[in-house]
């Protein structure tokens, strides 16, 4: 069983639409990271959230860390074809030092 | 930003060959490096954690004699797939994190290993 439940697994939307990806757990995380990965490449770090209730914005991407530090969401506004990729959430469960990954969300944005 | 270089990016070799993959942190010291395996359209599966100057810690089900890990310096870790077979074909990715709490992991670009 995975520590982080990521949903949905697949998401296909039209350019200009909004989307949200969720990561949920019953465990508390000292930090949570979001990555985007393109085929044949390694994951690229988008953001790290550390504080419960924290909201971070990266252009059209908004990341939220739950108050209890057990869940997180990634919201993309006005998605573009360049946003296409595999989005991975990964958390550091207290007091572990090993990242626990969600199953990933494959996002496809159609032009 | 932190850069992790992984080499080679792609390897194709015959069954029975041993293959070495290198992972380097280029602009920071990585006390801990991680090795992952990833199957198509799936998430990353942690294989082992390597700490500089000590033995690697392997995840359950990962054969330590099959996947040899060496972390000889604060900027280099290597993964050697010994006597590789077709079932070892996969995408292998390393990551490195710096010292201190809540340090994010930075990933290399991965190595596509294909065993014929």
């Amino acid at each position: 069983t995975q520590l982080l439940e990521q949903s949905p697994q697949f998401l296909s939307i039209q350019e200009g639409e909004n989307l949200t990806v969720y990561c949920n757990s019953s465990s508390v995380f000292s930090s949570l990271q979001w990555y985007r990965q393109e085929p044949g490449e390694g994951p690229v770090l988008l953001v790290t959230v550390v504080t419960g209730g924290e909201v971070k914005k990266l252009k059209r991407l908004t990341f939220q860390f739950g108050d209890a530090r057990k869940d997180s969401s990634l919201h993309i506004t006005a998605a573009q074809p360049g946003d296409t990729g595999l989005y991975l959430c990964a958390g550091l469960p207290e007091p572990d030092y090993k990242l626990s990954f969600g199953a990933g969300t494959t996002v496809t944005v159609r032009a | 930003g932190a850069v992790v270089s992984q080499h080679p990016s792609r390897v194709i070799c015959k069954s029975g060959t041993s293959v070495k993959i290198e992972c380097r942190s280029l602009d920071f010291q990585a006390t801990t490096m991680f090795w992952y395996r990833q199957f198509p359209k799936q998430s990353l599966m942690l294989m082992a954690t390597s700490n500089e100057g000590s033995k690697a810690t392997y995840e359950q089900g990962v054969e330590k004699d099959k996947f040899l890990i060496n972390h000889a310096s604060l900027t280099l870790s290597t993964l050697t797939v010994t006597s590789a077979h077709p079932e070892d074909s996969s995408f292998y990715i390393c990551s490195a994190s710096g010292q201190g709490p809540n340090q994010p992991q930075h990933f290399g670009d991965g190595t596509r290993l294909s065993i014929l």
Side-chain angles (χ1 to χ4, degrees):
Chain A
T1 53
Q2 276 186 294
L3 205 55
L4 271 168
E5 295 293 328
Q6 188 172 343
S7 63
Q9 188 176 359
F10 298 97
L11 203 50
S12 180
I13 60 171
Q14 202 69 34
E15 182 177 5
E17 293 181 341
N18 302 332
L19 69 97
T20 303
V21 180
Y22 300 93
C23 260
N24 297 294
S25 177
S26 56
S27 299
V28 177
F29 294 93
S30 56
S31 69
L32 198 139
Q33 294 154 30
W34 284 92
Y35 294 86
R36 189 175 92 190
Q37 184 182 22
E38 303 206 14
E41 299 181 10
V44 175
L45 179 67
L46 296 175
V47 78
T48 300
V49 285
V50 178
T51 307
E54 185 175 3
V55 176
K56 280 192 175 179
K57 291 195 174 185
L58 190 67
K59 295 184 182 177
R60 293 177 293 101
L61 278 60
T62 302
F63 304 88
Q64 204 157 4
F65 200 15
D67 290 340
R69 291 185 289 133
K70 292 182 179 181
D71 54 85
S72 182
S73 64
L74 155 63
H75 182 80
I76 301 179
T77 305
Q80 298 175 0
D83 296 325
T84 293
L86 175 67
Y87 288 83
L88 296 158
C89 65
L92 267 176
E94 296 181 335
D96 209 348
Y97 61 92
K98 296 184 290 186
L99 269 184
S100 180
F101 276 86
T105 298
T106 299
V107 171
T108 304
V109 182
R110 305 184 304 274
Chain B
V3 178
V4 175
S5 173
Q6 190 172 337
H7 178 79
S9 59
R10 188 176 181 98
V11 180
I12 302 172
C13 57
K14 292 181 180 179
S15 185
T17 308
S18 292
V19 178
K20 181 187 279 189
I21 303 170
E22 290 187 349
C23 182
R24 293 180 186 274
S25 57
L26 297 186
D27 52 0
F28 68 102
Q29 292 189 326
T31 50
T32 306
M33 288 185 171
F34 303 85
W35 288 95
Y36 296 85
R37 186 171 178 174
Q38 186 178 31
F39 293 102
K41 296 193 185 299
Q42 292 188 23
S43 191
L44 281 68
M45 182 188 76
L46 181 65
M47 298 173 66
T49 303
S50 120
N51 291 297
E52 185 262 338
S54 62
K55 288 185 179 179
T57 304
Y58 290 80
E59 295 300 302
Q60 194 172 8
V62 178
E63 300 174 58
K64 55 183 70 176
D65 294 332
K66 172 70 154 178
F67 299 99
L68 299 178
I69 291 173
N70 184 277
H71 193 156
S73 76
L74 283 171
T75 58
L76 174 64
S77 176
T78 61
L79 166 68
T80 301
V81 184
T82 61
S83 187
H85 289 95
E87 57 267 28
D88 299 322
S89 298
S90 192
F91 193 53
Y92 293 88
I93 311 176
C94 73
S95 73
S97 62
Q99 297 177 348
N102 296 323
Q103 289 297 310
Q105 288 187 25
H106 299 278
F107 287 82
D109 276 341
T111 297
R112 171 70 59 195
L113 177 61
S114 300
I115 308 298
L116 306 176

